[in-house]
Amino acid sequence: MTGTTRSSNGLDDRRKRLLYRCWHRGTREMDLILGRFADAEIGILADLELTQLEALIALEDPELYPAFVGDTQLAPEYHTPLFARIKEFRNLDKPV
């Protein structure tokens, strides 16, 4: 069970792949952060944001999770408006 509430119907292949990868991270905490964000936003992300999301999810969970919960900083190239949106979304959503 992934927890996703969004169907991939109507999404292009790139968005389908990203939706899947956001829900299948390896740790449940990251599934919930990225998966919930993807459920809510994947259909409206611009091409640049999709590229930024691809870069973020290429990072390992032990590096990415602390950045989302505020314990560490990522390298500057990952501090994008999309990263801030995901972090804000996480703060508005149920705590993980």
Side-chain angles (χ1 to χ4, degrees):
M1 182 172 142
T2 66
T4 186
T5 59
R6 189 194 200 298
S7 169
S8 62
N9 290 340
L11 295 177
D12 58 66
D13 289 342
R14 186 180 187 192
R15 292 172 199 276
K16 286 179 186 178
R17 188 172 38 258
L18 282 168
L19 179 63
Y20 179 85
R21 289 183 62 205
C22 284
W23 274 111
H24 294 86
R25 293 289 307 170
T27 63
R28 189 66 180 149
E29 293 85 354
M30 286 303 299
D31 288 353
L32 293 173
I33 292 170
L34 289 172
R36 287 176 178 165
F37 177 81
D39 276 357
E41 304 286 328
I42 197 74
I44 61 170
L45 294 178
D47 283 340
L48 176 60
E49 293 169 320
L50 293 173
T51 300
Q52 292 170 351
L53 182 56
E54 288 166 337
L56 281 173
I57 66 175
L59 296 173
E60 296 294 327
D61 288 354
E63 183 178 3
L64 191 54
Y65 180 75
F68 281 129
V69 298
D71 293 341
T72 64
Q73 295 287 322
L74 291 175
E77 62 266 22
Y78 297 106
H79 285 275
T80 64
L82 180 71
F83 175 80
R85 255 173 80 192
I86 296 170
K87 196 167 180 173
E88 177 71 19
F89 184 89
R90 183 217 169 253
N91 290 334
L92 295 174
D93 201 18
K94 296 175 188 171
V96 175

